[in-house]
Amino acid sequence: MNLSKLLAEAGISAVQPIRFGSGEFCQLDLSKNNPSLERIDLNDEEQFTAQVFGQLKANGARVGIGGYLEERGLYSRSELFTEDEPRTIHLGIDLWAQAGTAVYAPFKGVVHSFDNRRSHGDYGPVIILEHEEASLTFYTLYGHLSTMSLHGLYEGKPIRKGEQFASLGAYHENFHWPPHLHFQLIMNMEGFHGDYPGVCKASEKGRYLQNCPNPEFIVMAGIH
């Protein structure tokens, strides 16, 4: 299923979850093949944050993006991802920006579920929205939010297209990540509630690729 094409054919456009212009972003490489990541302690807040935001500054960017299906070694810093076969494949797009940056709903929808995933390396505050467009039901996940983003939420709460409903969390509240949004598109929640895997094993990549299509068309909405 090509969700981007189906929505376009129905005349349904998206709003960027984090707003930035054509000259305000750069691509970030957090893959296992980036040697610069081997030279820093990823469990050190200052080093990891300086690595990310140093790249943004060097590129004159306000937002750093990337990561869809990127194979990463950095998850080894958390026991959350170290199973017999470690989870290394990133299923969403990350948007790295300053803590407090506003997060907007790309489509009209309702709050499906939410939680505060308080484990090292997990999402921290996370919100999942449910959307019904072009006779389709799909979901968008927002991880690493501020704790304030969860205040006043309830399941089924209506969210308008383009409404600011959340903001990015700082390192101490998003569970040990430099400020960023993990944004993921999900077709079937598979029974998950307030959570959905954002990283999978390489052996499971094919299955998750079908359920979590590339959300780039939403992230880059209106950018030419």
Side-chain angles (χ1 to χ4, degrees), residues 153-211:
L153 283 191
Y154 58 90
E155 293 179 13
K157 180 179 181 179
I159 303 292
R160 301 184 308 275
K161 178 179 179 177
E163 176 183 348
Q164 179 188 346
F165 69 95
S167 60
L168 298 190
Y171 189 91
H172 70 278
E173 61 185 336
N174 73 24
F175 281 80
H176 309 293
W177 292 94
H180 75 289
L181 175 68
H182 173 93
F183 178 69
Q184 190 166 330
L185 182 57
I186 304 166
M187 302 308 298
N188 185 336
M189 286 298 298
E190 301 178 326
F192 281 91
H193 198 84
D195 188 27
Y196 190 85
V199 183
C200 74
K201 301 174 183 178
S203 63
E204 300 174 331
K205 179 178 175 180
R207 180 175 79 81
Y208 279 103
L209 176 61
Q210 295 300 313
N211 198 43

Side-chain angles (χ1 to χ4, degrees), residues 55-203:
Q55 291 183 61
L56 266 62
K57 183 177 181 180
N59 286 278
R62 187 170 60 83
V63 177
I65 64 173
Y68 182 65
L69 297 187
E70 188 172 66
E71 186 170 7
R72 295 174 168 179
L74 56 84
Y75 298 117
S76 62
R77 72 195 184 103
S78 170
E79 293 182 357
L80 189 67
F81 305 98
T82 53
E83 305 170 21
D84 290 342
E85 179 189 352
R87 293 191 287 144
T88 59
I89 306 297
H90 190 248
L91 297 170
I93 287 181
D94 286 333
L95 293 102
W96 304 85
Q98 294 293 333
T101 296
V103 178
Y104 302 90
F107 308 99
K108 71 180 189 298
V110 299
V111 174
H112 171 272
S113 54
F114 57 95
D115 198 1
N116 192 348
R117 309 287 301 175
R118 293 176 288 184
S119 298
H120 181 261
D122 209 330
Y123 289 129
V126 57
I127 299 173
I128 299 168
L129 301 184
E130 179 177 340
H131 310 279
E132 292 186 12
E133 300 281 10
S135 301
L136 294 170
T137 300
F138 58 95
Y139 307 84
T140 49
L141 181 151
Y142 308 80
H144 309 297
L145 302 174
S146 65
T147 53
M148 284 292 295
S149 300
L150 303 183
H151 290 189
L153 283 191
Y154 58 90
E155 293 179 13
K157 180 179 181 179
I159 303 292
R160 301 184 308 275
K161 178 179 179 177
E163 176 183 348
Q164 179 188 346
F165 69 95
S167 60
L168 298 190
Y171 189 91
H172 70 278
E173 61 185 336
N174 73 24
F175 281 80
H176 309 293
W177 292 94
H180 75 289
L181 175 68
H182 173 93
F183 178 69
Q184 190 166 330
L185 182 57
I186 304 166
M187 302 308 298
N188 185 336
M189 286 298 298
E190 301 178 326
F192 281 91
H193 198 84
D195 188 27
Y196 190 85
V199 183
C200 74
K201 301 174 183 178
S203 63

